Amino acid sequence: MPSIPCGALQSLLMGGSKYIPVRYSAYAAAVATFVPRRLLHFRVHLRSPHFRGPVYNNLPFCQISYRACNRSSVPVTAANAVEVARPGDETIIAERIAYLKTKLKEVGIEYAACIPGKSPALLCPKCRGGSSTVKSLFVVIHEDRNLAIWTCFRGECRWKGEVQACEDVKAGLTEKDEDMNAKQHTVTTEKRLQLEPLGEEVIAYFADRMISAETLRRNAIKQLKCGKKIAIAFPYRRNGTLVGCKYRYFCKKFWQEPDKERIFYGLDDINQSSDVIIVEGEIDKLSMEEAGYRNCVSVPDGAPAQVSKGPLAAAEEDTKFQYLWNCKEYLEKASRIILATDADGPGQALAEELARRLGKERCLRVKWPEKSANEVCKDANEVLIHYGPDALKKVVENSELYPIRGLFQFSDFFHEVDAYYHQTHGFELGVSTGWKALDELYNVMPGELTVITGVPNSGKSEWIDALLCNINANHEWKFALCSMENKVREHARKLLEKHIRKPFFDASYGGSTERMTVQELEQGKKWLNDTFHLIRCEDDCLPSIKWVLRLAKAAVLRYGVRGLVIDPYNELDHQRSPNQTETEYVSQMLSMIKRFAQHYSCHVWFVAHPRQLQHWTGGPPNMYDISGSAHFINKCDNGIVIHRNRDAKVGPLDGVQVCVRKVRNKVVGTIGDAFLSYNRITGEFEDIDVRAISTSITRGG
């Protein structure tokens, strides 16, 4: 039969609703212990009713082979218990056992034996033993088989309840289900906890960690003897009253007094403080005091493994950080909160969790100094040990503002400003279009959006293709093409003709110019494959802008493309919610495109047709004529109108007017018109003598 120490037995038996004193044997302490009336027949020999040893993994002592525990507790067996009256009818006993098994199973407890006096460790159905799946649930069956009591000793669960053979489940609530604000915590004393003044061994331990005896005295650090071992005791106080205690062996094993209010360690030191420092351990709090900071507290429960996902839980459900809510009135008065948690992953996760609850706008974080070439100091005590109190004080003084997503200072971008000034990236002034006349008005800047328009058959797509070929020839850029109006083979022909400068076919449009050879075609195909990546919808559905940008992102990351062409706007799927206007939709769509361009440093050319023009006289349209919304010109970085002369009386029919109608960045261009000639055979655009034809074409507009 397993040995159950007094503390664990009392915890198990305190689930009853009526309590009366029980007389202990000669070895019992003078303090009376209480048990339920129906368990009166148990008699326990105790050497110390207040024995406390470490509860590793929140397990009761009976699960650990612990020498001091065996000395201070005696097994509850038939030899030392008063005989209990048993029913004579074995049938009744069998029925009670069957009923208890059924009721235990209803609440998720699988306990097939149901043997009185034995308390095997079971897996708690509520907490499932946590991440380590430890068996922390203990069930006690009364001798008359009429009562079963259970308690989970895992600190974050503490589920308890009882069931009677003649009644239904009487209690089965976890502590999480209780009203934490109304929960009553027992008050304790140092005498009751059997705390002792510090001995030389503990004082020497702290001296090695650069913690003075005076700091230990002021913080009332004590020690506790657990058999032959000594544990350091850190008393937790609120307004001078002892509300809990945390223990630590020299080997860094911790445990706490159970069922005590969770608060910060050193809480009274931050009363009325405008600046508060939060650390991850009690020794770190003492280290901060050595550096001159008494306005420091430590979290009681360590750090989480990672930052929790999803929104924050309500205060009453935020059990892991209940100490924050319990000390809310202290923290509300603080205007600055310095987070000095450990430098490891869990420590940084703790800082993020604290900042989320305290408000990042008033939080700062420390930056721990390097301990070696490949390692930084882990916490405040390591800084104190390696560099002394002045260095730790400097670390706190140099605390940085806690980062808030989306909120920056210019200093966060000074490295980019320096690179921009020294032109180390190479594109600070944009890249050339390949046409001298146009370079004075428009250069291509990575991360910008250019909207292009023009009446049908003006050569918008042809001009963009020629522009891409020029940029690739001069700067080796790669591009993603979402050109819904072009068949793939037709688009390939146009690009190859511009690149090879020969017609694809031996047809009338080529005149007397020799067709490209098979060898040139093969070389051109390799160039096509290396330079361009196609975004196309394989079925008969129209692609949405989100779908296009998602694939464009993949092209940027996989192939390193620097430019994206979306041609044209009216070939996209523009489904929008019933309460959203087209103007609102266009604004939202263009914002998405601009964010993509800026984030991936990719220039986007977006072709949009003008609406049907009334009383058109043959001149170039305005950017405000684009069908859908004025946002096309309002939100773009550059706006260009491509216009082809259609009247031989006013100028050459191969003349193309490139009207730059908007340039947001004066570094890369300005508003004006450039004139090019279109080679119908190869699809190329070339600079022309502006003085010869600009006057006639302008007059035609």
Side-chain angles (χ1 to χ4, degrees):
M1 183 176 294
S3 173
I4 306 178
C6 59
L9 180 62
Q10 289 172 2
S11 298
L12 280 170
L13 303 185
M14 290 296 283
S17 58
K18 298 179 181 179
Y19 303 93
I20 63 174
V22 171
R23 181 185 303 170
Y24 291 127
S25 66
Y27 295 101
V31 181
T33 307
F34 293 82
V35 297
R37 182 187 305 272
R38 52 184 166 270
L39 298 179
L40 177 62
H41 297 290
F42 282 103
R43 185 182 68 201
V44 184
H45 290 270
L46 301 175
R47 184 164 297 179
S48 170
H50 305 299
F51 173 78
R52 296 166 319 284
V55 186
Y56 302 121
N57 298 325
N58 294 318
L59 285 176
F61 306 147
C62 56
Q63 288 301 102
I64 303 171
S65 179
Y66 190 60
R67 184 181 307 167
C69 178
N70 292 333
R71 290 195 301 108
S72 60
S73 63
V74 177
V76 181
T77 65
N80 57 14
V82 177
E83 184 177 353
V84 179
R86 300 175 180 273
D89 192 346
E90 296 297 332
T91 303
I92 296 177
I93 293 178
E95 290 176 353
R96 288 180 179 179
I97 292 176
Y99 188 83
L100 288 179
K101 288 182 179 180
T102 301
K103 287 302 180 181
L104 289 173
K105 192 171 183 179
E106 287 179 0
V107 295
I109 299 176
E110 296 285 349
Y111 184 24
C114 283
I115 301 175
K118 290 191 176 181
S119 181
L122 304 173
L123 187 66
C124 176
K126 290 294 183 182
C127 66
R128 309 303 297 177
S131 59
S132 58
T133 63
V134 65
K135 294 182 178 181
S136 55
L137 183 75
F138 289 80
V139 181
V140 170
I141 305 297
H142 192 246
E143 290 287 342
D144 61 5
R145 280 78 162 178
N146 191 43
L147 175 69
I149 299 175
W150 67 85
T151 298
C152 176
F153 283 87
R154 186 168 173 270
E156 295 183 2
C157 180
R158 312 297 292 183
W159 180 53
K160 55 190 174 183
E162 67 179 53
V163 62
Q164 296 185 34
C166 56
E167 298 178 8
D168 207 339
V169 174
K170 187 173 182 179
L173 297 177
T174 63
E175 291 191 0
K176 296 179 182 179
D177 298 325
E178 300 176 7
D179 185 352
M180 292 185 178
N181 295 324
K183 185 176 180 180
Q184 298 297 319
H185 299 279
T186 58
V187 178
T188 188
T189 63
E190 291 186 5
K191 182 177 180 180
R192 183 166 180 255
L193 297 179
Q194 298 182 350
L195 302 185
E196 302 175 353
L198 293 180
E200 294 183 0
E201 184 181 3
V202 177
I203 294 175
Y205 170 82
F206 278 106
D208 291 340
R209 289 176 168 265
M210 303 294 289
I211 307 296
S212 66
E214 173 58 25
T215 297
L216 299 177
R217 183 200 61 78
R218 197 194 75 82
N219 289 273
I221 307 300
K222 304 293 182 182
Q223 70 179 35
L224 174 69
K225 288 186 178 179
C226 301
K228 293 183 179 180
K229 292 185 177 181
I230 295 178
I232 304 169
F234 298 96
Y236 278 64
R237 302 178 186 275
R238 182 197 286 270
N239 297 325
T241 302
L242 185 64
V243 299
C245 194
K246 186 174 180 180
Y247 306 97
R248 169 189 172 131
Y249 279 144
F250 297 142
C251 60
K252 205 173 182 180
K253 290 184 178 179
F254 303 89
W255 74 97
Q256 300 188 40
E257 287 293 323
D259 298 325
K260 302 299 181 184
E261 181 187 19
R262 286 288 188 266
I263 61 173
F264 282 107
Y265 174 69
L267 183 62
D268 289 347
D269 286 340
I270 64 169
N271 192 16
Q272 303 297 329
S273 294
S274 59
D275 286 4
V276 172
I277 303 172
I278 300 179
V279 294
E280 196 176 324
E282 291 81 6
I283 294 181
D284 291 329
K285 184 261 189 294
L286 303 179
S287 300
M288 285 293 182
E289 186 164 325
E290 293 293 338
Y293 296 104
R294 289 188 179 181
N295 56 324
C296 177
V297 292
S298 170
V299 301
D301 297 324
Q306 59 187 8
V307 179
S308 59
K309 299 179 180 179
L312 293 177
E316 62 274 9
E317 298 176 355
D318 197 11
T319 54
K320 178 65 177 176
F321 296 91
Q322 198 59 42
Y323 57 86
L324 278 178
W325 307 110
N326 292 339
C327 305
K328 182 179 178 182
E329 67 274 14
Y330 290 80
L331 298 170
E332 285 178 339
K333 302 170 185 176
S335 57
R336 295 199 322 158
I337 299 176
I338 301 173
L339 304 177
T341 55
D342 290 2
D344 56 13
Q348 296 307 299
L350 174 61
E352 177 66 16
E353 293 286 10
L354 292 173
R356 292 172 69 192
R357 290 162 173 81
L358 297 170
K360 294 182 179 180
E361 67 280 356
R362 60 173 177 158
C363 287
L364 296 89
R365 65 179 181 181
V366 300
K367 185 176 181 181
W368 300 117
E370 292 183 354
K371 186 169 63 174
S372 63
N374 302 318
E375 190 178 6
V376 298
C377 290
K378 179 177 179 289
D379 52 30
N381 189 244
E382 279 201 0
V383 177
L384 181 65
I385 293 173
H386 285 83
Y387 299 109
D390 291 339
L392 180 56
K393 184 177 181 179
K394 188 175 181 180
V395 168
V396 176
E397 290 175 347
N398 294 335
S399 298
E400 303 172 345
L401 295 173
Y402 199 89
I404 300 176
R405 185 175 182 181
L407 181 63
F408 304 95
Q409 292 180 292
F410 263 110
S411 58
D412 298 326
F413 300 92
F414 278 168
H415 63 288
E416 293 187 21
V417 175
D418 292 339
Y420 190 40
Y421 176 82
H422 296 290
Q423 301 183 35
T424 57
H425 291 162
F427 303 130
E428 288 75 14
L429 303 180
V431 299
S432 170
T433 63
W435 299 297
K436 184 177 180 181
L438 187 57
D439 283 345
E440 297 177 1
L441 306 175
Y442 172 70
N443 288 270
V444 179
M445 176 69 74
E448 290 189 349
L449 168 64
T450 297
V451 173
I452 299 172
T453 191
V455 297
N457 204 29
S458 293
K460 300 182 292 296
S461 300
E462 288 277 6
W463 179 80
I464 291 176
D465 287 347
L467 174 64
L468 303 187
C469 290
N470 289 348
I471 295 175
N472 173 258
N474 297 327
H475 303 285
E476 298 183 348
W477 278 24
K478 297 180 180 180
F479 306 94
L481 305 178
C482 182
S483 183
M484 281 78 73
E485 287 186 332
N486 279 315
K487 295 179 181 179
V488 173
R489 63 184 186 181
E490 291 294 327
H491 204 174
R493 175 186 61 78
K494 295 176 183 178
L495 291 169
L496 288 171
E497 287 178 340
K498 293 174 176 60
H499 177 67
I500 299 174
R501 299 181 178 180
K502 291 182 179 180
F504 190 84
F505 291 116
D506 187 9
S508 59
Y509 75 88
S512 59
T513 305
E514 181 182 359
R515 178 190 186 186
M516 66 181 69
T517 64
V518 173
Q519 184 179 3
E520 290 172 334
L521 173 63
E522 292 302 320
Q523 293 174 349
K525 285 162 59 180
K526 184 180 185 306
W527 169 79
L528 271 181
N529 201 57
D530 293 340
T531 305
F532 301 100
H533 303 277
L534 305 178
I535 298 176
R536 299 187 67 84
C537 197
E538 295 299 325
D539 51 32
D540 57 355
C541 297
L542 293 177
S544 66
I545 190 63
K546 290 183 179 180
W547 181 83
V548 172
L549 294 180
R550 185 169 63 251
L551 293 177
K553 171 186 173 181
V556 170
L557 299 178
R558 174 173 290 186
Y559 301 114
V561 304
R562 303 300 301 270
L564 167 66
V565 176
I566 305 176
D567 180 15
Y569 161 74
N570 62 341
E571 289 289 338
L572 294 174
D573 181 12
H574 300 300
Q575 292 185 13
R576 60 181 189 271
S577 59
N579 58 348
Q580 187 179 39
T581 65
E582 185 177 14
T583 298
E584 293 170 339
Y585 166 77
V586 170
S587 175
Q588 183 183 56
M589 176 192 66
L590 293 175
S591 295
M592 291 173 57
I593 296 174
K594 290 189 67 175
R595 284 197 299 270
F596 165 82
Q598 293 172 4
H599 186 75
Y600 295 102
S601 190
C602 179
H603 196 101
V604 180
W605 291 272
F606 194 18
V607 178
H609 296 309
R611 63 178 179 269
Q612 187 174 359
L613 301 177
Q614 302 293 333
H615 311 295
W616 180 51
T617 60
N622 194 288
M623 291 292 296
Y624 286 102
D625 292 328
I626 296 177
S627 176
S629 172
H631 282 304
F632 280 105
I633 187 171
N634 295 338
K635 304 197 76 168
C636 70
D637 297 297
N638 309 286
I640 294 178
V641 179
I642 303 297
H643 183 65
R644 180 172 63 84
N645 178 40
R646 291 171 170 79
D647 189 352
K649 297 180 180 179
V650 299
L653 294 179
D654 61 355
V656 176
Q657 185 177 356
V658 181
C659 311
V660 181
R661 292 294 177 256
K662 180 181 180 181
V663 177
R664 191 187 301 276
N665 184 0
K666 67 179 182 181
V667 173
V668 300
T670 187
I671 294 174
D673 294 347
F675 297 91
L676 306 173
S677 64
Y678 174 66
N679 185 331
R680 188 170 181 271
I681 297 175
T682 63
E684 296 176 277
F685 290 77
E686 299 172 351
D687 282 306
I688 60 175
D689 186 357
V690 177
R691 290 173 296 180
I693 63 172
S694 60
T695 302
S696 59
I697 294 182
T698 303
R699 187 185 304 117

